[in-house]
Structures are given as structure tokens and as C-alpha cells.
């Protein structure tokens, strides 16, 4: 999730652009750059202050664009930093989003003689614009033709050096907001960079583009028709704008759930042909055909997503899988025989135990394939192949959106490997893909009922001990739900396999020790009901997570949170959402800083 900022007015643009990028720093990034009409292009890896340090007093101009990059394609380098330009340095652009068909477009443009500088998907836009302008289009025509060719998402800010008095802006899937000032206008990925200058904002809708000048703005549809729309005045503080109007990053990131799933499968799941495309694995495809075992090693929430992946891979790709706590794997002299693939699952890509675990596996000759959210991170760089989450940085310390993205990617990987190894029917694969595509709307339907979940959380907020229990695909969710509650509200909670209850934990059950029971309508539902009955027989309270329409639990459980039906293969993604919200509301009910819980770090880069 990159940060974009643009200015057109009468003041010196460089300082305003730098301030705009600093306001967007919270979004996370790995490099930055800016272009000022009449002054030039400057880029830097690392923090915005590295970019600022490169600006000289004579670097002047009143129109410009700036960008902080959160890499999705191409590692963080100056060359890959935005703005990007065309062959002749006449068009400069900053892009936020993913261009799914950039490979085809780039090949076609190279065939026409275009020279590319970067490894990014974004650069193709500059060369497409150049191509259309050279073929005789006006810049506006070139822009609409270019946008029509792009599959994927974009937020674009563009300077055409032949028209240095304006900015071109376009949006599809990646937010872009205009700031309407007095004798100056702004654009940004989110209003937090605009609010210090003006509170009059105007959000572009998907498929719209605009021309921004010092004293005017024009809105257009993709077809080129002008759209008349007045700006609105936002009342948010700068801090509130960073959280998208939510009180905390954690809630913002939970509420992004539907888009997180879409971005995780974007460019990887062809909805028309119902196929999975994981280009990231092309180079290791032959090795993947022959792997005999997979070891999944990571920490915390990332490990729990791996536990779901284990069940998926064994059930549908028919590959033996084992889960290893990275902090144990690295010390216990594991045996990693030939034909083993080791997977690191990690949001930060810097977790010390996980890094040490894959280094040990690599030393023993394993193929390392990782699921990572941070492009260019250490674990990404030390893996033989990486599947990036493509969901933008996760800022809240508690991992929420990364978890559902990791499990989504495991579902894609499972179907990909099942097909590659000839163990899945097309019909079964297509059925699963349809269910993956249906997930975002199902998640949205849970998020829309978050006030109900808040009420339940408030009811249980006084308890000091919780048991979470699940089976099969919700077995890992019992652990993840307990971890969320522990780290956000500092309340003791245990995740347990429901089948293990009779082997000890049931001795703890009493009216002051509630159980969160994952009772979705799946192949182990009847077993879960038996567990719930055992708990009720001992006066334990039960909060059940159940599939919409379930009537049985109304007579059994003390409280129920309903979730939409989905296939068992994907149910962990649905089941975890209410538990993330449950933990969040209990945590804020206790007045804790849920974005930065005590004693925790976002990335545990030490042992
Ligand atoms: C989860 O909410 C915690 N923040 C923690 O367990 C985290 O998942 C773990 O430290 C792994 O981090 P990583 O995904 O960045 O490797």
C-alpha cells in the first residue's frame, strides 16, 4: 500500500511534497521519490528524510508528485522507487495498486522498442502513455486508452512535462483524494496528508480521472464525459484520517478484511477460467512436482495460519506436511531429508526465530518457499521463492489481516500444487475457486454486524480465564482466537483441540471459566456439539461461533455469534473474524492500547 501526494499551486512544491510524504509515513514504505516540473526527479531508498537530504536549494518548482513505496513487485531500490518515467523522460507518474497484466503489456512495449528501467509493474503505465501520445493522441486520450488496457488496480498521479501547469489523476481500486485549496490544489492516497492544508476534499470514484490545476479541477469518466461534483468538508483530525476514521489501526485492519482477501488473490486467481496462477513459483515449479514433504515453520499467529495450511495441503494436495515452531526447529537438530520444502510464513519477514529456522533448513538442502508481506525483507531475500501477501503493511501489533491473507494464499497454493501434481479434478478446483471468490462478501457480512459482536464481548469482558476450542479446520482458530485475546486484553486464554477436553482441561470448567466453541456446520460439527454438552453439564458458559441458520445451539449455548456458510476448506478465514473483533472490543473495553499492547513488538527480530 504505497503513499501518493501531489501539489499544484503557487508555493514551492518540494517542501510541500516532502511534508506530504511524511504525513503518509505511517503507511509503511521502503523507498520514496518525487518529481517537480522544471526541477527534476529525485529518489531514495529508506526513510523520507533520505529523500529530503538530496534536495538542493535550487531544486524549485510549483507543480509536483511524490510517492512512498511499499513494494509488491521488484525489491526496494532507487530504480524501482516511484515516480517512474517513459523512454524520453517526458511523463512522470506515481502508482499505488497492482497491474495484473503488466507482464503482457511490458513484453508488447519492449517489442515496440521501449526501454524499461525498473522491475516494477507501475512503469508500464508511463510507456503506454508515451506510446499513445507518439501515435497522435492528446494526453487525455492517451490516458483513457491506457487506463482501458490496465487489468488490476491503480491510484495514479501523473505529470506530463508538455503541460507543466497541471496534474493528471486516476483511480481504480486504490484510493485517491483531491484537496481543494485557495489558489492551490492537492492529491493524496488518503486525506491525512491533505488535512493540514485544506479540509475540502473530493474522493475520486473507481474509473474516474481528473485534471488538477492551481485554481481548478475537472473530473471525467473513463469514457471522457465530464463529471460535476462538489468537494465535501471532512471534520477528521489528522490522527483520525490515518486510521481511516476508525479508532485504532487494529480495527481498521480487521475492517479491511474483504479487500484483504481480494488483494491476496488478485492476479493469482483467474475468475473467468477458474484457474490459479502463481508466477512467483515458476522458477521452482519442477522442484515442486517432486517434493516429498513440506515443513511449515513460523511463530505466533503466522504459525497458526500454517496449521490451517497443513490441513489444506494434506487433504487436497496429498503432500505430507508438518508444523514446526520456528523457535524449536532451530535448536532441536531436525532432520530435513532430500525432497523437503520448508515454508516460512511471516508478515514482517524479519522474525528472528523464523529466519534462523529457514537458514537451518537451507543448510540441510531444503527448498525454501515463503509467504511474506514485506517485499525485500530478510526472509523474502533468503527464500528460493516468495508469495507476497499484497495487502499493504499491517500496522497494529496484533496480526489480523495478515492471518486471513496467509490462509487465503495457502488455499491458492494448495489448489496450485494439487493441479501441478495431478491429484485434483478440475471440477473440485473450480468449486473451491468459486468459494474463494465468494469469501470477501461473506467477510463483509460479518464486519457489518460488528456491533452485535461488541455487545457479546462486553458481556464476557469481566471473566479472567477463557477456553477456546475447535476441531480440524477450526483447531488452529482456537489457538489464534486465544492468542488475540491474550495479547490485546492481557486476559488468560487457552486454545485447545476440543477432542482433548476429556484428557484434562474439562476439570477446569466452572461458571467462571467460559468456553468459546467453534461449532461451524462442518464434518466435525456433531463432535463439537458433544463437547458443548459436556461443558454445559458442568455449568460452564459457552459462546458458540455457529453457521447462520443453526437452531440446535440456541438451546445449548449461552451466546451465539453467527457466521456465513462456506466450504470447510475455507471456514477458518470466516471463523477467525468474530474472534478478532471479540478480542478488540474486550481490549478497548479495558482501556488498553490495542495497537501497541504492553511488552509486544510488531516484529520480534530478537530471540
Ligand atoms: C500476532 O498477533 C503477534 N503479533 C505475533 O504472534 C506474530 O504473529 C509473530 O511474532 C510472527 O510475526 P511475523 O508474522 O512478522 O513473522
Amino acid at each position: 500500500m504505497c503513499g501518493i501526494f501531489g501539489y499544484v499551486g503557487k508555493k514551492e512544491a518540494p517542501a510541500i511534497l516532502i511534508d506530504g510524504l511524511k504525513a503518509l509515513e505511517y503507511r509503511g514504505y521502503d523507498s520514496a521519490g518525487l518529481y517537480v516540473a522544471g526541477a527534476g526527479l529525485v529518489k531514495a531508498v529508506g526513510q523520507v528524510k533520505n529523500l529530503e537530504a538530496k534536495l538542493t536549494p535550487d531544486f524549485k518548482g510549483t507543480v509536483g508528485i511524490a510517492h512512498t513505496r511499499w513494494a509488491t513487485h521488484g525489491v526496494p531500490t532507487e530504480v524501482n522507487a516511484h515516480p517512474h518515467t517513459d523512454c524520453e523522460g517526458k511523463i512522470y507518474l506515481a502508482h499505488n495498486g497492482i497491474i495484473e497484466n503488466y507482464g503482457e503489456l511490458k513484453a508488447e512495449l519492449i517489442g515496440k522498442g521501449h526501454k524499461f528501467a525498473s522491475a516494477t509493474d507501475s512503469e508500464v503505465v508511463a510507456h503506454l502513455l508515451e506510446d499513445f501520445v507518439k501515435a497522435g493522441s492528446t494526453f487525455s486520450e492517451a490516458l483513457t486508452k491506457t487506463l482501458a488496457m490496465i487489468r488490476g488496480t491503480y491510484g495514479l498521479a501523473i505529470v506530463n512535462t508538455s503541460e507543466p501547469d497541471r496534474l493528471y489523476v486516476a483511480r481504480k481500486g486504490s484510493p485517491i483524494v483531491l484537496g481543494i485549496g485557495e489558489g492551490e490544489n492537492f492529491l493524496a492516497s488518503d486525506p491525512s496528508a491533505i488535512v493540514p492544508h485544506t479540509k475540502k476534499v473530493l474522493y475520486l470514484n473507481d474509473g474516474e480521472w481528473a485534471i488538477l490545476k492551481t485554481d481548478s479541477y475537472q473530473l471525467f469518466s473513463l469514457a471522457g464525459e465530464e463529471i460535476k461534483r462538489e468537494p465535501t468538508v471532512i471534520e477528521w483530525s489528522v490522527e483520525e484520517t490515518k486510521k481511516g476514521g476508525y479508532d485504532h489501526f487494529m480495527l481498521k485492519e480487521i475492517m479491511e478484511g474483504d479487500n484483504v482477501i481480494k488483494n491476496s488473490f488478485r492476479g493469482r486467481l483467474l475468475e473467468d477460467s477458474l484457474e490459479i496462477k502463481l508466477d512467483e513459483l515458476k522458477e521452482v515449479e519442477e522442484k515442486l512436482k517432486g517434493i516429498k514433504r513440506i515443513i511449515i515453520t513460523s511463530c505466533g499467529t503466522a504459525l497458526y495460519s500454517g496449521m490451517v495450511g497443513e490441513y489444506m495441503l494434506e487433504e487436497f494436495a496429498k503432500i505430507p506436511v508438518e508444523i514446526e515452531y520456528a523457535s524449536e526447529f532451530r535448536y532441536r537438530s531436525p532432520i530435513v531429508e532430500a525432497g523437503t520444502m520448508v515454508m516460512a510464513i511471516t508478515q514482517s519477514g524479519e522474525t528472528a526465530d523464523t529466519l534462523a529456522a529457514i537458514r537451518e533448513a537451507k543448510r540441510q538442502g531444503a527448498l525454501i518457499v515463503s509467504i511474506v508481506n514485506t517485499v525485500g525483507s530478510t526472509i523474502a531475500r533468503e527464500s528460493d521463492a516468495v508469495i507476497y501477501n499484497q495487502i499493504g503493511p499491517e500496522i497494529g501489533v496484533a496480526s489480523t489481516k495478515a492471518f486471513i491473507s496467509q490462509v487465503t494464499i495457502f488455499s491458492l497454493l494448495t489448489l496450485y500444487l494439487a493441479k501441478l501434481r495431478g491429484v485434483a479434478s478440475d471440477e473440485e478446483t473450480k468449486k473451491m475457486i468459486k468459494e474463494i471468490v465468494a469469501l470477501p462478501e461473506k467477510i463483509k457480512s460479518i464486519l457489518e454486524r460488528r456491533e452485535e459482536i461488541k455487545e457479546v464481548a462486553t458481556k464476557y469482558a469481566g471473566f479472567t480465564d477463557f477456553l477456546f476450542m475447535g476441531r480440524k479446520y477450526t483447531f488452529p482458530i482456537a489457538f489464534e482466537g486465544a492468542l488475540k485475546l491474550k495479547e490485546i486484553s492481557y486476559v488468560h486464554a487457552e486454545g485447545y483441540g476440543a477432542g482433548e477436553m476429556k484428557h484434562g482441561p474439562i476439570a477446569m470448567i466452572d461458571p467462571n471459566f467460559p468456553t468459546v466453541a467453534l461449532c461451524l456446520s462442518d464434518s466435525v460439527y456433531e463432535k463439537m456439539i458433544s463437547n458443548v454438552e459436556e461443558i454445559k453439564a458442568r455449568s460452564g458458559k459457552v459462546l458458540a461461533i455457529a453457521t447462520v441458520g443453526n437452531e440446535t445451539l440456541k438451546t445449548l449455548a449461552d451466546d451465539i455469534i453467527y457466521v456465513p456458510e462456506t466450504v470447510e476448506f475455507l471456514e477458518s478465514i470466516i471463523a477467525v473474524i468474530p474472534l478478532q473483533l471479540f478480542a478488540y472490543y474486550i481490549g478497548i473495553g479495558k482501556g488498553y492500547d490495542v495497537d501497541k499492547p504492553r511488552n509486544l513488538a510488531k516484529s520480534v527480530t530478537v530471540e
Side-chain angles (χ1 to χ4, degrees), residues 25-44:
E25 279 186 314
Y26 75 93
R27 297 161 68 96
Y29 61 96
D30 44 52
S31 51
L34 56 80
Y35 174 80
V36 174
L41 175 68
V42 181
K43 301 182 181 184

Side-chain angles (χ1 to χ4, degrees), residues 7 10 34 162 165 180 191 224 251 253-254 262 299 360 363 375 380 394 404 435 446 507 519 540 548 551 555:
Y7 174 77
K10 303 181 182 85
L34 56 80
S162 311
D165 66 337
I180 309 305
L251 182 58
E253 287 158 0
I254 294 170
K262 285 181 194 166
C299 303
E360 170 54 23
R363 189 186 63 79
V375 177
E394 185 176 64
I404 62 173
E435 287 293 336
I446 303 171
C519 302
V548 166
E551 292 297 321
T555 58

Side-chain angles (χ1 to χ4, degrees), residues 363-378:
R363 189 186 63 79
Q364 294 197 42
L367 172 70
I368 311 295
V369 175
S370 300
I371 299 175
V372 185
N373 191 36
T374 309
V375 177
S377 57
T378 307

Side-chain angles (χ1 to χ4, degrees), residues 299-302 346-348 351 397-399 483-484 487 604:
C299 303
T301 289
T346 171
Q347 193 285 132
S348 63
T351 301
V397 165
S399 190
L483 174 62
K484 284 284 99 44
E487 63 177 330
V604 184

